[in-house]
Amino acid sequence: PVFKATVGTRGGVGGLSHYQKILDEVVDRYVSVGERFDLIVSRGGLTRPLESGAYLINEAMCRDLREARYGWHPSNWGPLLAYEMAQRMGICAVVFDTPVVDEMEPVARISGLKEIERGAAFHVLSQKAAGRKAARQLDTSYESLNLVIAHLGGGISICAHRRGRMIDGTHGLSEGPFTPQRSGALPLEGVIELCFSGRFRGKKEVMAYLTRNGGLVSYLGTYEIPEVEARIRSGDKEAELILRAMCYQVAKEIGAMAVVLRAKPDAIVLTGNLCHSEFIVNEVKSYVESLAPVLVFPGEDELEALALGGLEVLRSGAFSSLKQY
């Protein structure tokens, strides 16, 4: 085999004590018994914008993540874990296709208000992995295709991929369709009214409300799709309306990204955990299948994507030429 093992760290660690516990457990389990690793690959955290591909995790990246210089997300812990593990093992650690990959076109950055620029915050790892799967299915390369890819999960992002670059897309927190827990794009006047309603003590509370208590939770009190589908089967018309509305908004954004590709996508790709739902897949397809062939890859497979990214690095053997943060 090309490598002995790859440890994928997706982040999601809740606090420093958990972080230290996981670090010690992994090192004790593998290093102390003489297990050898060649590379550690981590999902990226919120750093400055980067190109796609593999980046060596270094002190500068860890400092920005630790200080949350570009924002806080549990995934910030991933590269910190990977770096400390790699230091103890005497090997390299990299991030691959991080969530801050920014390949947007200049025209896509214009928001409508000079003080606010549209930015990239997509499910890059999942999106790019789905794009490569689509290319294999179509017997060509990802870099030769024009694709609209919709990642449908707890967060939703829908992007236009032009020949291997994500040239536009819906911000995973503040744009696009509502999701099981996030509000997505909202009417601006209503957001302003909400912010000044006196219900919230500051920005953090508003953000938490919109990203944890929006979407399906706001309307139906749950983010569990099987529960919503069970309610629909039992005759709950409100549940059916709300789930159809989420699919409707997904389809609208797919149409918008098809236009970004000048209405000539080679395929529309649906991926993410929500694609396990036949209701959601069939509803979205009913709106968009006339635009291009629809390919469906249920699940996220992010750990597989990390492993394949690490394998690419190892096969190249070019550790010294890895992109530096």
Side-chain angles (χ1 to χ4, degrees):
V2 177
F3 62 96
K4 183 82 170 177
T6 299
V7 176
T9 65
R10 289 198 57 216
V13 183
L16 189 58
S17 62
H18 293 267
Y19 164 82
Q20 194 64 47
K21 182 178 180 181
I22 291 173
L23 175 63
D24 290 340
E25 183 173 333
V26 170
V27 173
D28 288 345
R29 179 174 298 180
Y30 292 105
V31 178
S32 63
V33 297
E35 194 74 50
R36 179 178 173 273
F37 290 88
D38 295 291
L39 182 67
I40 299 176
V41 189
S42 172
R43 176 184 174 178
L46 299 185
T47 65
R48 63 177 173 81
L50 301 172
E51 289 283 322
S52 61
Y55 280 79
L56 190 68
I57 303 173
N58 57 20
E59 286 285 359
M61 180 185 292
C62 290
R63 181 179 61 251
D64 284 352
L65 292 169
R66 200 176 290 114
E67 297 174 358
R69 182 177 178 185
Y70 295 93
W72 171 250
H73 187 273
S75 63
N76 283 21
W77 287 120
L80 297 176
L81 279 166
Y83 183 69
E84 288 201 34
M85 288 160 56
Q87 290 291 297
R88 295 192 190 188
M89 297 176 185
I91 59 175
C92 291
V94 299
V95 292
F96 183 76
D97 281 351
T98 81
V100 297
V101 165
D102 188 347
E103 300 170 333
M104 287 175 64
E105 298 281 281
V107 69
R109 300 182 189 278
I110 307 303
S111 70
L113 191 66
K114 188 173 182 179
E115 294 94 328
I116 300 174
E117 181 179 90
R118 292 187 67 239
F122 314 134
H123 297 86
V124 179
L125 191 60
S126 172
Q127 291 253 349
K128 294 263 184 180
R132 295 183 186 105
K133 284 183 180 179
R136 289 194 293 272
Q137 187 162 320
L138 297 171
D139 196 25
T140 186
S141 69
Y142 167 59
E143 290 75 18
S144 69
L145 291 171
N146 291 332
L147 302 168
V148 177
I149 302 181
H151 170 92
L152 309 179
I156 291 175
S157 60
I158 300 166
C159 299
H161 295 239
R162 187 178 67 198
R163 302 192 181 281
R165 295 179 63 83
M166 302 170 70
I167 61 171
D168 198 359
T170 59
H171 191 289
L173 288 176
S174 60
E175 296 180 335
F178 68 82
T179 83
Q181 289 179 279
R182 301 174 186 175
S183 66
L186 294 170
L188 184 58
E189 286 188 9
V191 174
I192 294 171
E193 291 289 341
L194 187 67
C195 289
F196 288 91
S197 66
R199 291 173 54 187
F200 306 98
R201 289 178 291 182
K203 173 183 172 182
K204 287 186 178 180
E205 283 196 6
V206 174
M207 286 298 294
Y209 184 70
L210 296 178
T211 57
R212 298 176 192 169
N213 297 288
L216 297 182
V217 171
S218 177
Y219 288 97
L220 303 176
T222 181
Y223 56 82
E224 297 288 353
I225 299 299
E227 180 182 337
V228 175
E229 291 181 325
R231 287 163 62 171
I232 292 172
R233 288 193 296 271
S234 69
D236 187 330
K237 297 300 183 183
E238 182 187 13
E240 181 176 357
L241 173 64
I242 299 306
L243 193 57
R244 287 191 188 280
M246 187 180 77
C247 298
Y248 173 82
Q249 291 191 7
V250 168
K252 278 206 302 184
E253 295 297 342
I254 289 173
M257 291 301 131
V259 170
V260 168
L261 296 172
R262 301 190 182 276
K264 295 178 181 178
D266 295 301
I268 294 165
V269 181
L270 308 181
T271 191
N273 286 329
L274 296 189
C275 292
H276 289 296
S277 165
E278 289 187 13
F279 183 103
I280 291 173
V281 169
N282 290 338
E283 188 72 10
V284 173
K285 285 176 68 175
S286 72
Y287 285 103
V288 305
E289 58 190 351
S290 63
L291 299 175
V294 179
L295 307 178
V296 183
F297 303 115
E300 298 183 9
D301 294 330
E302 290 190 331
L303 291 179
E304 178 186 348
L306 289 176
L308 291 173
L311 182 60
E312 184 179 313
V313 171
L314 289 168
R315 282 177 170 161
S316 72
F319 285 95
S320 60
S321 61
L322 275 170
K323 296 176 185 176
Q324 298 283 331
Y325 179 75

